[in-house]
Amino acid sequence: MSKTFCEICNEIVEYKIKKRIREEMINNKIVSFNELYAICKKCNNEVYVEKLYDQNMLEYSEKVKEINGIITIKEIEEILNKYAIGKKPLSLVLGWGEVTIIRYLEGSTPEKAYSDILKKVLEDPNTLYEYLEKNKDLITKVAYKKTLGKIMELKLTEDQSKIYLISKHIIAKMEDITPLALQKILYYIQGFSTYFFDKPIFNDNAEAWVHGPVYREIYDRFSYYRYNPISKNEFESYNEIDSLNEKELKLIDSVINNFGVYSGKTLEKMTHTTIPWEAGRKELSEEEYSSNIIDTETMKDYFTNIGKKYKMKDVSDISKYASSIFKEIMDGDNK
Ligand SMILES: [Zn+2]
């Protein structure tokens, strides 16, 4: 039970906390806010309690900030949550002293210029993205990737990106899918969609990386998982089912069923046998970095040929190709 000194009773007493509305003039405006106060349980007179006083001061200064258009503590906390970033990393990424955000959270009022930056960051993921790319060397790699992932998610959701919807569906359906495997599954979905639907299912182009084709934004979204499976808890719901039609879902599920059984490494080897990835690598040596785009036409030509070669009539026929490629790379390994 909390106690304080009562001047009337002249002793330490128990108290109870009550709430009342207080009005103050701030910038010629009458502003009302909740004020907490304490009552002596013995004599019912008001008593002073320091922690309530501090709380009221905080509430008051939040109101003053609101009226003056300065970012509030609540809003700064929103930024930290929204981008999964810590107080120190946020300060550093914005190019400020390490403890700047901590001081704001403890109640000191940001200068207008600093406040404006924070407000922009809260509103627009692209603003933080620019700072993050500029100052990523000032924070740990893990912190960088985690925040980058959150920014990507916000951007992808905002764009109602189809490749992201499909990725969510794949992650929901598959057990233990790593970022590497996800990329390869997406590649085959895209490839076979050009054969079965005569046009790509999503608009993104893969890049020809050393470890196979990679869709950059999806990579950035999940890369902090590194070689670990992506958690299904990443998403609150899977309503993407509503956004993909039955035909699309059938194709996606067939690729999942026929390729999802292989490890990320095996899938990587499988994609290395495909012409679009090879063409994207151009004259590069095996370990050479590249972000060359794998273009849609090359995808379409290749997968149309595969579709014809394996006499695919239905998406379930993808199994013929998958098992034949698997056998091919196994034979290759045993040579
Ligand atoms: Zn009293």
Side-chain angles (χ1 to χ4, degrees):
M1 190 56 71
S2 308
K3 291 184 170 184
T4 192
F5 184 75
C6 174
E7 285 180 18
I8 310 281
C9 301
N10 199 25
E11 61 176 305
I12 303 281
V13 294
E14 287 183 358
Y15 63 85
K16 52 188 172 207
I17 297 169
K18 298 199 153 195
K19 202 191 267 181
R20 65 188 164 209
I21 305 283
R22 193 172 119 197
E23 289 186 330
E24 288 280 342
M25 283 285 268
I26 304 173
N27 290 357
N28 295 323
K29 269 181 225 155
I30 297 176
V31 178
S32 61
F33 52 96
N34 290 323
E35 184 179 62
L36 300 174
Y37 65 106
I39 295 288
C40 167
K41 275 193 177 175
K42 245 176 143 179
C43 69
N44 269 339
N45 283 293
E46 191 169 339
V47 285
Y48 173 79
V49 176
E50 188 168 16
K51 69 173 187 201
L52 295 185
Y53 175 80
D54 292 344
Q55 227 169 305
N56 289 334
M57 282 305 290
L58 203 65
E59 178 103 355
Y60 176 74
S61 82
E62 287 276 278
K63 281 278 174 197
V64 174
K65 283 179 210 159
E66 238 177 84
I67 301 251
N68 292 327
I70 298 291
I71 193 153
T72 62
I73 292 175
K74 237 190 182 152
E75 288 171 320
I76 296 176
E77 282 167 348
E78 257 178 71
I79 294 176
L80 301 178
N81 282 330
K82 183 173 179 178
Y83 300 110
I85 193 166
K87 302 159 198 169
K88 286 183 184 176
L90 178 60
S91 301
L92 294 171
V93 160
L94 295 174
W96 303 343
E98 194 177 59
V99 295
T100 310
I101 296 293
I102 294 175
R103 283 197 292 108
Y104 296 158
L105 290 173
E106 283 169 352
S108 66
T109 303
E111 280 173 43
K112 180 91 170 64
Y114 283 60
S115 164
D116 285 349
I117 290 171
L118 287 169
K119 285 199 157 192
K120 259 182 91 182
V121 165
L122 176 58
E123 217 169 87
D124 177 17
N126 287 311
T127 304
L128 185 60
Y129 181 61
E130 281 164 27
Y131 281 107
L132 188 70
E133 288 305 314
K134 202 169 95 189
N135 292 326
K136 63 182 166 196
D137 295 335
L138 301 177
I139 61 174
T140 65
K141 213 167 179 180
V142 175
Y144 163 70
K145 288 200 161 181
K146 184 135 203 189
T147 294
L148 181 63
K150 285 290 166 194
I151 291 172
M152 267 323 136
E153 158 146 50
L154 292 162
K155 286 169 72 155
L156 290 163
T157 310
E158 213 165 82
D159 296 347
Q160 296 187 302
S161 155
K162 197 154 182 196
I163 192 174
Y164 189 47
L165 283 177
I166 294 171
S167 301
K168 282 166 84 172
H169 178 73
I170 297 167
I171 293 162
K173 276 231 146 179
M174 281 182 63
E175 288 304 318
D176 293 345
I177 185 165
T178 60
L180 179 71
L182 173 62
Q183 290 293 342
K184 312 314 169 219
I185 299 286
L186 285 169
Y187 175 73
Y188 283 118
I189 289 171
Q190 180 76 324
F192 283 112
S193 73
T194 63
Y195 173 71
F196 284 105
F197 306 155
D198 208 31
K199 62 176 198 297
I201 190 169
F202 50 76
N203 292 323
D204 309 62
N205 289 313
E207 296 175 11
W209 289 21
V210 171
H211 297 291
V214 168
Y215 296 93
R216 170 82 67 163
E217 287 191 328
I218 298 299
Y219 173 83
D220 285 343
R221 169 68 184 90
F222 297 109
S223 66
Y224 64 90
Y225 280 98
R226 297 168 52 85
Y227 301 106
N228 303 307
I230 299 164
S231 164
K232 296 186 199 306
N233 299 333
E234 277 286 341
F235 320 108
E236 277 163 22
S237 65
Y238 299 118
N239 54 5
E240 71 274 8
I241 305 293
D242 303 332
S243 318
L244 300 166
N245 67 39
E246 206 178 314
K247 228 174 65 184
E248 292 172 330
L249 284 169
K250 268 193 169 162
L251 170 76
I252 294 165
D253 290 346
S254 177
V255 172
I256 291 175
N257 292 336
N258 289 302
F259 290 95
V261 291
Y262 303 114
S263 74
K265 269 290 150 197
T266 300
L267 289 170
E268 177 183 327
K269 283 184 194 160
M270 289 168 131
T271 60
H272 284 188
T273 69
T274 66
I275 288 169
W277 179 78
E278 282 175 359
R281 294 296 296 170
K282 292 180 181 138
E283 304 293 305
L284 298 170
S285 69
E286 229 171 81
E287 292 297 320
E288 212 166 331
Y289 169 86
S290 111
S291 57
N292 294 337
I293 296 290
I294 299 175
D295 71 74
T296 313
E297 278 313 303
T298 318
M299 288 287 274
K300 196 168 175 195
D301 287 349
Y302 177 74
F303 282 95
T304 304
N305 280 331
I306 294 293
K308 284 179 184 157
K309 184 176 162 195
Y310 289 85
K311 301 189 172 60
M312 292 185 189
K313 293 201 170 65
D314 181 85
V315 290
S316 62
D317 295 331
I318 290 171
S319 65
K320 296 188 242 170
Y321 171 74
S323 48
S324 141
I325 290 297
F326 179 65
K327 197 171 171 299
E328 193 180 300
I329 62 161
M330 282 299 127
D331 290 350
D333 278 359
N334 293 335
K335 257 175 214 159

